Amino acid sequence: LRDNFVQETLNQSNLSSEEKYGFIRHIVSIYSGLKRHPYRLYYKDDLPTDYVCLDIETTGLTRNDKVTQIAGVKVVNDTIVDTFESYVNIGDTKLPIQISYLTGITEEMLEYAPSFNDVADSLIEFVDGLSLIGHNITSFDLPFLARNGLDLRNLLAVDTVGFAKASPLGLDNHKLETL
Protein backbone atom coordinates (compact mmCIF):
# COMPACT_ATOMS: atom_id res chain seq x y z
CA LEU A 1 0.00 0.00 0.00
CA ARG A 2 1.71 3.16 -1.17
CA ASP A 3 -0.96 5.82 -0.63
CA ASN A 4 -0.01 7.43 2.69
CA PHE A 5 -3.45 8.95 3.25
CA VAL A 6 -5.18 5.60 2.85
CA GLN A 7 -2.56 3.88 4.99
CA GLU A 8 -2.90 6.45 7.81
CA THR A 9 -6.70 6.28 7.65
CA LEU A 10 -6.68 2.49 7.87
CA ASN A 11 -4.16 2.58 10.73
CA GLN A 12 -6.45 4.94 12.68
CA SER A 13 -9.52 2.78 12.05
CA ASN A 14 -10.86 0.08 14.33
CA LEU A 15 -10.65 -2.50 11.55
CA SER A 16 -8.76 -5.74 12.11
CA SER A 17 -5.88 -6.60 9.78
CA GLU A 18 -8.13 -9.04 7.94
CA GLU A 19 -10.84 -6.37 7.51
CA LYS A 20 -8.25 -3.85 6.26
CA TYR A 21 -6.97 -6.37 3.74
CA GLY A 22 -10.51 -7.16 2.63
CA PHE A 23 -11.29 -3.45 2.25
CA ILE A 24 -8.16 -2.83 0.16
CA ARG A 25 -8.89 -5.93 -1.95
CA HIS A 26 -12.42 -4.66 -2.51
CA ILE A 27 -11.19 -1.23 -3.64
CA VAL A 28 -8.60 -2.77 -5.96
CA SER A 29 -11.13 -5.13 -7.51
CA ILE A 30 -13.56 -2.27 -8.13
CA TYR A 31 -10.79 -0.11 -9.60
CA SER A 32 -9.39 -2.82 -11.84
CA GLY A 33 -12.69 -4.44 -12.78
CA LEU A 34 -11.08 -7.87 -12.46
CA LYS A 35 -12.08 -10.85 -10.37
CA ARG A 36 -9.21 -12.20 -8.32
CA HIS A 37 -9.10 -14.91 -5.73
CA PRO A 38 -8.55 -12.94 -2.54
CA TYR A 39 -5.98 -15.08 -0.79
CA ARG A 40 -4.34 -17.82 -2.81
CA LEU A 41 -4.37 -16.86 -6.48
CA TYR A 42 -0.61 -16.82 -6.74
CA TYR A 43 0.05 -20.19 -5.12
CA LYS A 44 0.95 -22.67 -7.85
CA ASP A 45 -1.44 -25.39 -6.71
CA ASP A 46 -4.35 -22.96 -6.81
CA LEU A 47 -3.78 -21.54 -10.26
CA PRO A 48 -6.29 -22.58 -12.91
CA THR A 49 -5.42 -25.64 -15.01
CA ASP A 50 -7.82 -24.54 -17.75
CA TYR A 51 -6.98 -21.11 -19.17
CA VAL A 52 -6.10 -19.04 -22.19
CA CYS A 53 -2.74 -17.33 -22.52
CA LEU A 54 -3.52 -14.06 -24.27
CA ASP A 55 -1.43 -11.37 -25.92
CA ILE A 56 -2.17 -8.43 -28.16
CA GLU A 57 -0.17 -6.11 -30.39
CA THR A 58 -1.26 -2.52 -31.00
CA THR A 59 -0.41 0.55 -33.05
CA GLY A 60 0.76 2.26 -29.85
CA LEU A 61 -0.05 2.85 -26.21
CA THR A 62 -2.62 5.67 -26.28
CA ARG A 63 -6.42 5.54 -26.11
CA ASN A 64 -6.64 6.31 -29.83
CA ASP A 65 -4.43 3.41 -30.88
CA LYS A 66 -5.81 0.21 -32.35
CA VAL A 67 -5.28 -3.51 -31.93
CA THR A 68 -3.23 -5.02 -34.77
CA GLN A 69 -3.02 -8.65 -33.63
CA ILE A 70 -4.59 -10.92 -31.04
CA ALA A 71 -3.17 -14.33 -30.15
CA GLY A 72 -4.12 -16.96 -27.62
CA VAL A 73 -3.23 -20.47 -26.54
CA LYS A 74 -5.93 -22.54 -24.84
CA VAL A 75 -4.75 -24.90 -22.12
CA VAL A 76 -7.04 -27.54 -20.61
CA ASN A 77 -5.80 -29.81 -17.82
CA ASP A 78 -2.30 -28.40 -18.37
CA THR A 79 -2.35 -29.45 -22.05
CA ILE A 80 -2.41 -27.12 -25.06
CA VAL A 81 -5.62 -27.95 -26.92
CA ASP A 82 -6.06 -25.01 -29.32
CA THR A 83 -4.53 -21.78 -30.57
CA PHE A 84 -5.96 -18.52 -31.83
CA GLU A 85 -4.26 -15.88 -33.93
CA SER A 86 -5.60 -13.09 -36.03
CA TYR A 87 -4.35 -9.86 -37.46
CA VAL A 88 -6.82 -6.99 -37.20
CA ASN A 89 -7.62 -4.50 -39.95
CA ILE A 90 -6.88 -1.01 -38.64
CA GLY A 91 -8.75 0.83 -41.40
CA ASP A 92 -7.28 4.18 -42.38
CA THR A 93 -4.95 4.27 -39.37
CA LYS A 94 -1.30 4.24 -40.36
CA LEU A 95 0.92 1.67 -38.71
CA PRO A 96 3.86 3.54 -37.17
CA ILE A 97 7.20 2.38 -38.56
CA GLN A 98 8.60 1.83 -35.05
CA ILE A 99 5.68 -0.50 -34.22
CA SER A 100 6.23 -2.40 -37.46
CA TYR A 101 9.92 -2.72 -36.61
CA LEU A 102 9.15 -3.81 -33.04
CA THR A 103 6.42 -6.36 -33.86
CA GLY A 104 7.28 -7.42 -37.41
CA ILE A 105 3.70 -6.60 -38.43
CA THR A 106 3.31 -4.68 -41.69
CA GLU A 107 0.43 -2.72 -43.18
CA GLU A 108 0.18 -5.38 -45.88
CA MET A 109 -0.54 -8.02 -43.21
CA LEU A 110 -3.40 -5.93 -41.86
CA GLU A 111 -4.92 -4.73 -45.11
CA TYR A 112 -7.19 -7.74 -45.70
CA ALA A 113 -7.45 -8.85 -42.09
CA PRO A 114 -10.89 -9.07 -40.44
CA SER A 115 -12.32 -6.12 -38.52
CA PHE A 116 -11.80 -5.81 -34.78
CA ASN A 117 -15.46 -6.72 -34.15
CA ASP A 118 -15.16 -9.93 -36.19
CA VAL A 119 -11.95 -10.90 -34.39
CA ALA A 120 -13.52 -10.03 -31.03
CA ASP A 121 -16.47 -12.35 -31.71
CA SER A 122 -14.11 -15.19 -32.64
CA LEU A 123 -11.97 -14.56 -29.55
CA ILE A 124 -14.98 -14.64 -27.21
CA GLU A 125 -15.93 -18.01 -28.68
CA PHE A 126 -12.33 -19.23 -28.34
CA VAL A 127 -11.92 -18.08 -24.71
CA ASP A 128 -15.26 -19.65 -23.75
CA GLY A 129 -15.24 -18.16 -20.25
CA LEU A 130 -11.86 -19.59 -19.23
CA SER A 131 -9.39 -17.73 -17.03
CA LEU A 132 -6.85 -15.54 -18.81
CA ILE A 133 -3.10 -15.45 -18.27
CA GLY A 134 -0.70 -12.96 -19.76
CA HIS A 135 2.18 -10.59 -19.20
CA ASN A 136 0.77 -7.15 -18.31
CA ILE A 137 -2.67 -8.54 -19.10
CA THR A 138 -4.40 -6.68 -16.25
CA SER A 139 -2.63 -3.38 -16.77
CA PHE A 140 -2.50 -3.27 -20.58
CA ASP A 141 -4.15 -5.99 -22.68
CA LEU A 142 -7.56 -6.23 -20.99
CA PRO A 143 -8.06 -2.47 -20.51
CA PHE A 144 -6.94 -1.86 -24.11
CA LEU A 145 -9.36 -4.47 -25.44
CA ALA A 146 -12.16 -3.02 -23.29
CA ARG A 147 -11.54 0.49 -24.66
CA ASN A 148 -11.90 -0.97 -28.14
CA GLY A 149 -15.18 -2.72 -27.35
CA LEU A 150 -14.14 -6.18 -26.11
CA ASP A 151 -14.52 -6.29 -22.35
CA LEU A 152 -13.13 -9.52 -20.88
CA ARG A 153 -12.47 -8.01 -17.46
CA ASN A 154 -15.23 -10.13 -15.92
CA LEU A 155 -12.99 -13.19 -16.30
CA LEU A 156 -10.37 -14.27 -13.80
CA ALA A 157 -7.06 -12.83 -14.99
CA VAL A 158 -3.58 -13.78 -13.83
CA ASP A 159 -0.83 -11.31 -14.69
CA THR A 160 2.59 -12.95 -14.99
CA VAL A 161 4.36 -9.68 -14.23
CA GLY A 162 3.68 -10.41 -10.56
CA PHE A 163 5.45 -13.76 -10.86
CA ALA A 164 8.39 -12.13 -12.63
CA LYS A 165 8.76 -9.48 -9.94
CA ALA A 166 8.69 -12.14 -7.23
CA SER A 167 11.38 -14.16 -8.99
CA PRO A 168 14.61 -14.64 -7.04
CA LEU A 169 16.65 -14.35 -10.26
CA GLY A 170 17.61 -10.71 -9.67
CA LEU A 171 16.70 -9.57 -13.18
CA ASP A 172 17.27 -5.99 -14.34
CA ASN A 173 13.70 -5.80 -15.68
CA HIS A 174 10.63 -7.98 -16.12
CA LYS A 175 10.07 -7.75 -19.86
CA LEU A 176 9.15 -10.94 -21.68
CA GLU A 177 12.29 -10.64 -23.76
CA THR A 178 14.40 -10.67 -20.60
CA LEU A 179 12.49 -13.55 -19.01
Side-chain angles (χ1 to χ4, degrees), residues 62-79:
T62 70
R63 292 189 174 277
N64 297 326
D65 285 306
K66 298 194 175 182
V67 176
T68 57
Q69 183 181 30
I70 302 176
V73 175
K74 186 181 285 187
V75 177
V76 176
N77 293 321
D78 294 323
T79 303

Side-chain angles (χ1 to χ4, degrees), residues 16-122:
S16 69
S17 293
E18 186 175 311
E19 290 169 321
K20 289 176 187 176
Y21 178 80
F23 176 74
I24 292 167
R25 182 174 38 83
H26 177 72
I27 296 299
V28 169
S29 69
I30 289 172
Y31 175 74
S32 68
L34 298 171
K35 293 181 182 176
R36 292 186 178 90
H37 191 287
Y39 301 104
R40 53 179 221 245
L41 178 61
Y42 292 110
Y43 289 103
K44 183 181 180 212
D45 292 340
D46 296 317
L47 289 171
T49 56
D50 301 348
Y51 54 89
V52 172
C53 295
L54 185 69
D55 191 32
I56 66 171
E57 299 299 339
T58 66
T59 59
L61 303 174
T62 70
R63 292 189 174 277
N64 297 326
D65 285 306
K66 298 194 175 182
V67 176
T68 57
Q69 183 181 30
I70 302 176
V73 175
K74 186 181 285 187
V75 177
V76 176
N77 293 321
D78 294 323
T79 303
I80 295 173
V81 296
D82 202 0
T83 60
F84 177 93
E85 182 195 2
S86 182
Y87 292 113
V88 180
N89 190 307
I90 58 174
D92 294 335
T93 302
K94 293 292 179 199
L95 184 65
I97 190 76
Q98 66 272 24
I99 296 297
S100 186
Y101 178 77
L102 180 69
T103 63
I105 298 171
T106 65
E107 287 186 351
E108 292 77 24
M109 295 171 161
L110 306 178
E111 185 176 2
Y112 298 106
S115 70
F116 179 81
N117 289 338
D118 289 342
V119 175
D121 290 343
S122 297

Side-chain angles (χ1 to χ4, degrees), residues 113-162:
S115 70
F116 179 81
N117 289 338
D118 289 342
V119 175
D121 290 343
S122 297
L123 182 65
I124 289 169
E125 187 176 320
F126 176 79
V127 169
D128 193 28
L130 292 176
S131 300
L132 301 172
I133 296 181
H135 208 66
N136 283 318
I137 195 167
T138 59
S139 61
F140 181 73
D141 299 62
L142 293 180
F144 200 98
L145 289 171
R147 281 195 307 271
N148 283 271
L150 175 58
D151 195 349
L152 298 172
R153 294 176 296 178
N154 62 321
L155 300 174
L156 179 86
V158 178
D159 199 320
T160 58
V161 169

